[in-house]
Amino acid sequence: MSRPLWQRLAVPLAAILVVVVVAAAVLGVGLTRRSFPLTTGELEVPGLSAQVEVIRDAQGTAHIYADTPEDLFRGQGFVAAQERFFQMDLRRHITAGRLSELVGEGGVETDKVIRTMGWRKVAEQELSLLSPQARSYLQSYSAGVNAYIESRSGPSAMALEYVVLAQSAPGYQVEPWTEIDSLAWLKAMAWDLRGNYTDELTRGLLVGKISLPQLAALYPDYPYDAHPTILSPDEWAPRAPSPVNADTRGGTKGASALDPSADPADQAQVGQPAPSSTPTGEANQEWLAGRDAKEALLDTSVALAAVPELLGQGEGIGSNSWVVSGEHTTTGKPILANDPHLSVTQPSLWLQAGLHCRVVSESCPYDVTGFTFAGFPGVIIGHNQRMAWGFTNLDPDVTDFYLEDLRGDTVRRGSEFVDLAVRDEVIKVAGGEDVPITIRETSHGPILSDVMADMADLGENAPLGGSETSNDYAVSLAWTALEPARTAEAVFALNAATDWDAFRSAARLFAVPSQNLIYADVDGNIGYQAPGQVPIRKAATHATPPGFYPAPGWESAYDWQGFVDFEDMPFVYNPQDGIIVTANQAVTRGSRPFLTTESDKGYRSARIGDLLQAAIKQGPVSVETMGQIQLDDHNTFAERLVPYLLAADLDESFYTQAQALLSNWDFTAPAAGEQSAAAAYFYAVYDELLKTVLDDELPPGLGASGSARSMLLMENLLATPDSPWWDDRTTVGVVESRDEVIRSAMTEARLDLTRQISKNPADWSWGKLHQVRLEHEVLSGDAVPALVRGIFGQGPRPVSGSSAMVNAMNWDASEETFEVTSAPSMRMVVDLSDLDASTWVNHTGNSGHPFHPHWSDQTDEWIAGETFPWPFTRDAVDGSGQDTLILKPAADRRRPPLTVAASASGSASFGSALVRCAVFGQDRRDGHDPRRRSEHRVDDEVVRVRGHGWHDLVVVQHHNDRSAARELACRRQRRVVVAPALSQAHPVCRDR
């Protein structure tokens, strides 16, 4: 439903833009070089306690060496900003609902939705939940980013994008980085990996438009017999049932296994739904078909489509990861592989890095390398000196839509109406007028159907079913990511973990997005853990699992009743067969805990398992074997469909000439070569089948994607030639059969390829249809001049692979082309016997600066399926190092202390200075119990003192915080002067 950011932004670009860019090219891209990072010599970074080394290799990957975690993360923040600051700045504007301040009116709709969901507001709440240690790491990272900002003369010296966007946002000034900016990025990650939200919304929109049997057929059961789950019954079984720990919108604990008489997930078995007990009232299918529910759901779907893809969305978003124990490898130790399938952009989502304490100890435990997110400290996927880990999307059902019965600013709960939470905000628009927005929230979550400019007020007068209520419904969203959690802390714990117990402890903190975590260590152990917050709730519709359809919000029986306890989430340690494969397939065959019915249908995971078993039979598995499996482009679904295509009776040689290509096809999808013409023809036929069989009965925008669920549905339909789905609704008065539709699809595919490529099938190739464009997140699309698109993006490039195969170069059949929509965003293979023998590749380069040598220097290898050596030990890093930069502590050039007394509002003035201070302790305005915070709290803030530039402050809440302030000053190498005691309601701000 959502599209890349550049497809929804109308960034105003004046004619002078082209002149500026051309002038830059004529001047030898001197304008672009202003933003290139310094990678050799020495730089001063305020706040460092000792020197930090940054060693970059031939691909520009930075390995950072420091003596303390604070110095390490401060260095990481500085280096990330050097390479990717615009990407970081863009992300924080999106996650704060402030995109319009950067790009103008094109960002308003996105800002409305994200403000309504309150991503940044939740991130602010999460900050107070983190341990002091985790907060200090986030603060150090932010300080490193800000040291970079202060070292630059302005936005144009930080990224070429700012030069271009100055046309739409004149006078734009970069703000300092904060811990909240880092935390809010986790909301974007959770949004794109949020589970069945799209399917639930789609089903709600389809009720009444197609028959219920047809609707059920659109969501086929998981094929357990053909495609194994991640864990077999022998590897994991649920604990005995335990009682529910109920909360209003969920909680930190709950029962994963409820009494079967009360748990709809036990009665509506995963993949095999059965009638579940629901409160009295109409079934959802009936009242969902009503006009008011349809309009509310449609408004919501359109509003949510405004949120840009940052990691990617859709059925193809997922990943492959697997691990093989040493008994099956050439090294005698485990080998672990991972390749997340996400959107492909320029620059990449990933930034490769190494974080190394010079002496690994309890006080400095980090010796880790892998793939990071620019803007967030630590390593997201990778390995340390003792263990490696990988992620794939668990994809549990963590979102629910509720139809809300409103009357003005009240919402129906049972037979009463209660007040909504209402707040007003203002969206600032670069080059335009401010846009006010009113945000309304229920006990379930924010009302998303409100964020439409033309939507009428909800909650009018007419009765419904004899009750005094309205005819209209609003739609609210319950989503686990809107519950404050400690996921950020999980990253630090994961990076420092050195054994299975520590790994599971880190996973316990991983709330959203829920991921399949795989594990391997140097001692030969392997494991799997499913973490994350998974809500417990009842099914709102007869004969369906929980969360399958939107629920009536006025019925409290459908509210979340807590979360699955971590101890009840599936896991395995050293399985007997020595293999763990996760590729977004179903986790277990049972219904406890209830995770989802929306798992990937298992084509990729089954293929990986088959390839591993075949490789083990032939001999031990090597790092090279694992890399070859990552590139496998065999389509197992094609094995089922091709016999029907070969059996089709095509009368003319013009059509049989194309049909003959399938006779010797090996079911692969190479971009070029002998098999490529057959692949092009097959996918063209498959695309035509989807249009005729499915899309003719689905509303616009809800067409079949062609990925795993479409394939399984088509397999099922092939076995039922009389299914009503085969009838082409566009041919009035004619009812087509399966064989007629297949012949028609083959005929149309032949004609399409003739028009697009050539009359001669020998000229066809999959790569001429199937290409990848590495687009900039903003400066791409038809509205941007071609010259600019060429500077900031790459493409198109022919690629192998396709949807629902191991080499998941996914395309979307509901679109007009076969272009790649998501892909293996990186590939890595970790050798636990020799970490320096591991391999990795990014899909662009580490640099975010056009024209830089490391801007796209990994793309060719990524497309070709090649990888680079992955140095880890100090000797290997030194041996591969090309440039060394020393970050050293800055000399103390600060002015004498300025003491400012602040009011409880958090603002303080002294002369011409205006200082914004953090207020802790007794301030209850944010709705959180201050008892959850330290009573004597000291916090770093970076603020602007008018006329004096940016300064670090220590904010002291109480007079007896003197010792804490001095301790902080000693630990951070800072000079702090504590003023006389003030009342608890009046913080003291220090400009040091």
Side-chain angles (χ1 to χ4, degrees):
M1 297 175 67
S2 183
R3 296 173 296 164
L5 180 60
W6 59 265
Q7 289 186 355
R8 61 174 50 81
L9 290 184
V11 180
L13 295 174
I16 192 174
L17 166 63
V18 180
V19 177
V20 170
V21 177
V22 171
V26 172
L27 294 174
V29 295
L31 188 62
T32 70
R33 293 184 182 277
R34 293 183 62 198
S35 62
F36 285 6
L38 181 67
T39 60
T40 60
E42 296 183 348
L43 286 174
E44 289 188 350
V45 174
L48 289 176
S49 64
Q51 288 189 354
V52 172
E53 299 170 88
V54 181
I55 302 174
R56 287 176 166 91
D57 64 16
Q59 283 72 50
T61 301
H63 286 265
I64 303 169
Y65 291 86
D67 294 329
T68 68
E70 288 79 9
D71 282 357
L72 190 63
F73 293 120
R74 193 176 296 251
Q76 185 188 10
F78 187 90
V79 170
Q82 278 189 307
E83 301 289 359
R84 301 279 190 90
F85 184 76
F86 179 79
Q87 184 182 53
M88 295 165 61
D89 200 22
L90 175 65
R91 287 173 175 175
R92 70 165 163 177
H93 276 82
I94 293 173
T95 58
R98 296 175 56 195
L99 182 60
S100 302
E101 296 178 24
L102 183 61
V103 304
E105 293 182 0
V108 170
E109 293 306 315
T110 294
D111 288 344
K112 285 182 180 180
V113 181
I114 291 177
R115 293 280 189 102
T116 298
M117 285 192 281
W119 289 3
R120 189 172 181 87
K121 181 168 67 78
V122 178
E124 290 169 350
Q125 297 167 7
E126 289 182 335
L127 185 62
S128 65
L129 300 180
L130 301 180
S131 68
Q133 183 183 63
R135 286 204 61 175
S136 74
Y137 295 165
L138 286 162
Q139 290 164 355
S140 296
Y141 186 90
S142 297
V145 176
N146 290 323
Y148 169 78
I149 295 173
E150 292 182 12
S151 73
R152 313 305 290 178
S153 60
S156 65
M158 302 170 74
L160 184 60
E161 286 93 338
Y162 291 115
V163 178
V164 175
L165 291 175
Q167 309 304 313
S168 60
Y172 175 78
Q173 295 295 316
V174 172
E175 296 179 357
W177 194 265
T178 72
E179 304 101 298
I180 305 300
D181 295 327
S182 294
L183 291 177
W185 169 240
L186 297 179
K187 300 304 159 192
M189 184 171 70
W191 177 252
D192 285 355
L193 303 176
R194 64 193 174 277
N196 84 327
Y197 129 91
T198 301
D199 290 328
E200 181 179 340
L201 186 58
T202 299
R203 283 190 290 266
L205 291 169
L206 290 177
V207 169
K209 293 183 180 295
I210 61 177
S211 69
L212 289 179
Q214 281 185 288
L215 181 53
L218 277 176
Y219 298 90
D221 300 343
Y222 186 87
Y224 291 104
D225 293 336
H227 299 164
T229 55
I230 295 175
L231 303 182
S232 69
D234 294 335
E235 292 172 339
W236 181 85
R239 298 193 304 176
S242 56
V244 175
N245 178 19
D247 281 327
T248 54
R249 284 185 60 192
T252 58
K253 295 184 69 176
S256 67
L258 309 179
D259 188 301
S261 64
D263 183 9
D266 280 330
Q267 299 174 30
Q269 295 292 319
V270 176
Q272 298 175 347
S276 60
S277 59
T278 59
T280 59
E282 297 173 300
N284 258 13
Q285 289 102 328
E286 297 175 11
W287 56 269
L288 271 174
R291 177 185 60 83
D292 300 320
K294 289 292 184 192
E295 290 180 355
L297 291 172
L298 185 59
D299 285 334
T300 303
S301 69
V302 175
L304 291 177
V307 181
E309 297 175 1
L310 297 176
L311 275 72
Q313 292 178 3
E315 201 179 338
I317 298 302
S319 304
N320 300 324
S321 69
W322 64 91
V323 61
V324 178
S325 67
E327 64 184 294
H328 301 310
T329 68
T330 56
T331 66
K333 295 289 186 181
I335 301 177
L336 182 149
N338 196 188
D339 56 295
H341 306 154
L342 303 170
S343 64
V344 284
T345 58
Q346 180 68 48
S348 165
L349 293 162
W350 301 109
L351 179 65
Q352 293 155 288
L355 306 174
H356 308 276
C357 292
R358 291 192 182 95
V359 177
V360 178
S361 64
E362 184 177 352
S363 61
C364 193
Y366 299 105
D367 190 14
V368 59
T369 180
F371 294 86
T372 74
F373 288 135
F376 194 88
V379 171
I380 305 301
I381 298 176
H383 71 82
N384 61 27
Q385 76 278 18
R386 295 284 305 169
M387 67 97 176
W389 70 94
F391 284 1
T392 65
N393 199 14
L394 178 62
D395 209 23
D397 184 357
V398 295
T399 59
D400 280 326
F401 288 106
Y402 289 89
L403 294 187
E404 304 285 8
D405 190 5
L406 303 186
R407 180 183 295 166
D409 284 336
T410 64
V411 60
R412 179 184 167 195
R413 291 292 178 262
S415 60
E416 300 178 346
F417 281 81
V418 300
D419 289 338
L420 294 166
V422 181
R423 67 182 188 273
D424 294 319
E425 297 187 10
V426 176
I427 297 172
K428 301 289 185 180
V429 181
E433 299 293 327
D434 291 352
V435 177
I437 178 175
T438 297
I439 298 166
R440 302 192 294 177
E441 188 170 352
T442 75
S443 58
H444 299 124
I447 297 179
L448 294 183
S449 52
D450 269 359
V451 285
M452 295 298 298
D454 59 350
M455 186 169 180
D457 290 336
L458 297 173
E460 295 298 334
N461 302 318
L464 175 68
S467 301
E468 195 173 336
T469 180
S470 71
N471 268 336
D472 298 314
Y473 296 119
V475 178
S476 66
L477 171 69
W479 177 33
T480 54
L482 300 182
E483 304 281 343
R486 297 168 62 193
T487 300
E489 202 161 337
V491 176
F492 301 124
L494 194 62
N495 286 193
T498 57
D499 59 28
W500 173 247
D501 289 339
F503 173 80
R504 289 199 74 208
S505 295
R508 185 185 297 272
L509 298 170
F510 209 104
V512 289
S514 296
Q515 299 288 289
N516 296 302
L517 301 183
I518 61 169
Y519 166 93
D521 64 34
V522 296
D523 294 326
N525 302 300
I526 66 173
Y528 164 86
Q529 176 68 58
Q533 288 183 320
V534 179
I536 300 168
R537 71 283 215 193
K538 290 184 177 181
T541 305
H542 294 293
T544 64
F548 204 70
Y549 287 103
W554 50 89
E555 294 276 7
S556 62
Y558 305 136
D559 292 350
W560 289 359
Q561 302 298 315
F563 298 123
V564 174
D565 191 282
F566 179 78
E567 296 302 329
D568 292 319
M569 293 292 283
F571 73 95
V572 69
Y573 185 56
N574 290 328
Q576 187 173 4
D577 64 359
I579 299 174
I580 303 172
V581 176
T582 78
N584 316 116
Q585 77 272 38
V587 178
T588 66
R589 187 159 188 160
S591 61
R592 296 193 327 219
F594 178 76
L595 299 177
T596 185
T597 59
E598 312 297 337
S599 300
D600 182 270
K601 301 309 178 184
Y603 288 95
R604 283 181 289 115
S605 58
R607 176 66 178 172
I608 292 168
D610 290 344
L611 291 172
L612 286 173
Q613 294 290 352
I616 290 170
K617 288 181 181 179
Q618 294 178 2
V621 174
S622 65
V623 169
E624 292 74 19
T625 305
M626 301 284 263
Q628 291 168 3
I629 292 175
Q630 287 180 326
L631 303 176
D632 180 77
D633 58 2
H634 182 94
N635 187 332
T636 54
F637 162 71
E639 297 176 17
R640 313 291 192 274
L641 178 55
V642 165
Y644 290 91
L645 304 184
L646 290 173
D649 185 11
L650 304 180
D651 298 331
E652 301 178 23
S653 61
F654 178 77
Y655 300 109
T656 58
Q657 187 181 23
Q659 184 184 34
L661 293 172
L662 301 176
S663 299
N664 298 312
W665 185 40
D666 62 3
F667 308 113
T668 61
E674 183 179 349
Q675 296 290 328
S676 188
Y681 179 59
F682 172 81
Y683 287 110
V685 173
Y686 177 49
D687 186 49
E688 290 293 337
L689 278 175
L690 293 173
K691 292 176 183 176
T692 304
V693 178
L694 301 177
D695 291 357
D696 63 316
E697 301 185 53
L698 299 177
L702 299 179
S705 71
S707 198
R709 181 156 55 85
S710 300
M711 292 178 178
L712 182 59
L713 174 57
M714 193 62 67
E715 272 198 57
N716 294 342
L717 291 179
L718 287 171
T720 54
D722 297 327
S723 169
W725 281 108
W726 289 111
D727 180 33
D728 184 354
R729 293 294 181 89
T730 64
T731 56
V732 180
V734 179
V735 178
E736 287 84 1
S737 66
R738 178 195 63 191
D739 294 342
E740 289 174 310
V741 171
I742 288 175
R743 282 196 300 271
S744 175
M746 296 175 73
T747 298
E748 289 301 317
R750 175 38 156 141
L751 295 172
D752 285 344
L753 292 176
T754 299
R755 287 189 291 264
Q756 291 185 56
I757 303 177
S758 170
K759 183 178 180 179
N760 183 2
D763 296 332
W764 298 349
S765 72
W766 180 225
K768 291 180 180 178
L769 301 174
H770 187 55
Q771 301 182 341
V772 62
R773 296 176 185 266
L774 302 180
E775 303 277 11
H776 190 275
E777 287 182 290
V778 174
L779 299 174
S780 298
D782 294 338
V784 177
L787 176 62
V788 179
R789 295 201 305 269
I791 290 173
F792 289 97
Q794 296 187 65
R797 308 277 294 277
V799 290
S800 303
S802 186
S803 300
M805 58 176 53
V806 183
N807 187 19
M809 294 286 185
N810 298 294
W811 54 278
D812 189 341
S814 66
E815 302 292 334
E816 295 299 320
T817 73
F818 292 96
E819 286 191 356
V820 171
T821 54
S822 61
S825 55
M826 63 81 162
R827 298 186 184 97
M828 75 175 201
V829 178
V830 182
D831 182 352
L832 275 300
S833 72
D834 179 5
L835 293 169
D836 290 331
S838 305
T839 62
W840 62 352
V841 68
N842 207 337
H843 76 261
T844 60
N846 260 3
S847 176
H849 302 285
F851 302 110
H852 192 279
H854 301 310
W855 181 73
S856 61
D857 59 334
Q858 299 185 50
T859 301
D860 288 344
E861 287 77 8
W862 173 73
I863 289 175
E866 300 171 2
T867 55
F868 296 95
W870 186 352
F872 171 69
T873 63
R874 183 61 192 257
D875 287 344
V877 170
D878 286 342
S880 64
Q882 301 282 317
D883 298 318
T884 299
L885 174 68
I886 302 298
L887 305 179
K888 62 181 186 178
D892 190 353
R893 303 187 183 93
R894 293 171 291 194
R895 301 184 313 284
L898 173 67
T899 299
V900 183
S903 68
S905 67
S907 296
S909 61
F910 185 84
S912 64
L914 176 63
V915 185
R916 294 199 62 79
C917 305
V919 181
F920 296 101
Q922 304 304 313
D923 188 357
R924 294 174 178 266
R925 288 172 301 141
D926 60 4
H928 285 272
D929 187 349
R931 292 172 296 179
R932 298 176 65 181
R933 300 173 173 176
S934 172
E935 185 179 354
H936 311 301
R937 186 146 195 170
V938 176
D939 183 54
D940 283 340
E941 292 288 330
V942 179
V943 302
R944 183 153 194 168
V945 180
R946 190 175 302 160
H948 296 91
W950 297 104
H951 299 269
D952 290 333
L953 300 185
V954 171
V955 181
V956 183
Q957 172 71 32
H958 307 301
H959 71 277
N960 55 0
D961 277 339
R962 286 196 191 99
S963 60
R966 291 190 183 110
E967 179 184 353
L968 180 71
C970 180
R971 188 169 75 243
R972 306 279 179 82
Q973 299 291 305
R974 294 178 179 176
R975 186 161 55 89
V976 176
V977 178
V978 180
L982 297 179
S983 68
Q984 292 186 357
H986 294 79
V988 177
C989 298
R990 296 267 167 255
D991 176 5
R992 294 163 288 112

